[in-house]
Amino acid sequence: MEKKLKDLREEYLQTPIPKELSDVVQAALNEKPRKKPRVARTIWITAAAAMLIVTASVNMSPAVAKAMSDIPIVEKVIEVITFVEWNEEENNSSAVIKTPAITGLENKQLENSLNDKYLAESKQLYKEFTDSMSTLKEGENGNISVESGYKILTDNDIILSVQRYTDKIQASSSTESQFDTVDKKNEVLLTLNSLFKDDRYLQVINENIMEQMKQQMAEDPNKIYWVEDDEFVEFKGIDATQNFYINKDGKLVIAFNSYEAAPGYMGAVEFTIPTKVISDLLVGDQYIH
């Protein structure tokens, strides 16, 4: 943020001031007031300069108006910060929980609802950890590791995609994530449904994911996905609540937590959907292209 403001300042300083406006300001500064106290003199000069600038701007030529319009203004800055962080170590166990917060949205209802949700998730995670510690017998080690944080996956002029992840180790390991994608221009939260004309996208995306799964398994015998005809492990496909985000290249990415689409050792898995596969079903190409 500081760098952006510095860049804007440098750009502003390098922008030439129209000669007509410069002459008006200089004339105001050079004019001597008659018997004005020092403080009043400063106020008078400032006011006179401001009035003359306004007057000049009304009568300036199109060229001057164009030059004035080129002077950059500081736009709102939407960013993600660490709101609070918990660090706990006890009985050979540890928890590191970082809670994000989105700032800079004019839509405070959206901003507050997201931040309240993030804080509630972190509090619940911390409570689960401390509850687990409280059930240990004296001298017993928990051997529990919890790490929770966030990543900014995409941040451009149009969208902000944020991932909140939690890695847990207790006998076995698991990774869970949740994603939020915000339209920064309209300040609304994007859903999977909102990107498409109708629900035909579900079948199209499911078919593409299964194709990718089979291709990956054919190329790498160490990869296993649940695409076999077994009701207990068969990949059931996605629905409208599926985890997703839009990456920096403007591609739709479907994300699965541990055990949702593959055995635990595969961890969390993701599939980038080729835009050509879903282009006819998209509402538009503003987000995905």
Side-chain angles (χ1 to χ4, degrees):
M1 178 177 177
E2 293 180 355
K3 183 179 185 299
K4 183 175 181 180
L5 291 175
K6 182 178 179 181
D7 291 343
L8 286 173
R9 180 178 181 276
E10 292 298 324
E11 184 178 352
Y12 173 79
L13 292 174
Q14 293 173 10
T15 302
I17 298 176
K19 186 176 186 301
E20 295 93 327
L21 184 57
S22 180
D23 292 342
V24 171
V25 175
Q26 191 60 49
L29 294 175
N30 290 338
E31 187 170 346
K32 297 181 179 179
R34 297 179 180 177
K35 299 181 180 180
K36 295 287 183 179
R38 183 177 301 275
V39 175
R41 177 177 180 274
T42 302
I43 297 175
W44 184 85
I45 291 177
T46 304
M51 291 178 63
L52 288 169
I53 289 173
V54 172
T55 303
S57 66
V58 171
N59 299 295
M60 64 178 58
S61 67
V64 176
K66 174 62 171 63
M68 288 293 292
S69 68
D70 288 339
I71 297 177
I73 60 175
V74 178
E75 297 182 351
K76 61 182 179 182
V77 178
I78 301 171
E79 61 181 351
V80 184
I81 63 173
T82 299
F83 177 67
V84 66
E85 179 175 351
W86 285 292
N87 288 275
E88 189 83 16
E89 289 189 16
E90 183 180 354
N91 294 330
N92 202 38
S93 298
S94 64
V96 178
I97 302 172
K98 295 181 180 180
T99 304
I102 295 178
T103 66
L105 289 175
E106 294 179 0
N107 183 348
K108 293 305 176 185
Q109 182 177 2
L110 173 60
E111 182 177 290
N112 292 336
S113 66
L114 289 173
N115 293 339
D116 288 347
K117 177 178 68 172
Y118 300 157
L119 185 58
E121 290 171 351
S122 292
K123 284 183 176 180
Q124 179 61 30
L125 194 59
Y126 182 75
K127 182 179 183 301
E128 291 174 359
F129 176 79
T130 55
D131 287 349
S132 297
M133 293 297 97
S134 65
T135 61
L136 295 177
K137 298 178 182 179
E138 185 176 353
E140 183 179 6
N141 290 327
N143 297 316
I144 300 173
S145 174
V146 177
E147 181 180 352
S148 180
Y150 64 93
K151 296 178 182 178
I152 301 172
L153 302 174
T154 306
D155 186 6
N156 54 37
D157 292 338
I158 300 174
I159 62 170
L160 172 68
S161 285
V162 182
Q163 174 190 11
R164 286 115 51 228
Y165 64 85
T166 301
D167 296 326
K168 295 181 180 179
I169 300 176
Q170 184 178 8
S172 61
S173 62
S174 66
T175 300
E176 295 183 0
S177 292
Q178 296 186 64
F179 303 82
D180 286 316
T181 297
V182 175
D183 176 335
K184 295 170 67 175
K185 296 292 186 182
N186 298 304
E187 298 202 355
V188 295
L189 186 66
L190 299 179
T191 64
L192 200 54
N193 271 340
S194 69
L195 301 174
F196 296 93
K197 300 173 183 176
D198 51 54
D199 61 4
R200 289 178 296 163
Y201 75 90
L202 292 172
Q203 181 178 350
V204 172
I205 290 178
N206 283 334
E207 291 175 352
N208 182 262
I209 289 175
M210 293 187 70
E211 289 178 7
Q212 292 192 49
M213 288 177 169
K214 292 177 180 178
Q215 181 178 352
Q216 288 184 30
M217 289 191 296
E219 296 174 351
D220 186 350
N222 294 319
K223 290 188 175 181
I224 297 178
Y225 292 104
W226 290 334
V227 292
E228 302 300 328
D229 295 329
D230 186 328
E231 62 177 346
F232 296 106
V233 296
E234 183 181 3
F235 173 63
K236 304 298 184 182
I238 69 169
D239 58 27
T241 63
Q242 179 64 44
N243 270 332
F244 80 95
Y245 66 92
I246 299 171
N247 66 19
K248 296 178 180 179
D249 298 322
K251 306 300 180 186
L252 176 65
V253 180
I254 301 297
F256 295 92
N257 291 324
S258 297
Y259 302 100
E260 286 187 340
Y265 80 88
M266 291 278 290
V269 294
E270 298 180 351
F271 298 90
T272 301
I273 308 302
T275 302
K276 63 181 181 181
V277 172
I278 55 176
S279 58
D280 292 339
L281 304 175
L282 292 169
V283 172
D285 59 1
Q286 180 181 10
Y287 309 119
I288 300 173
H289 42 263

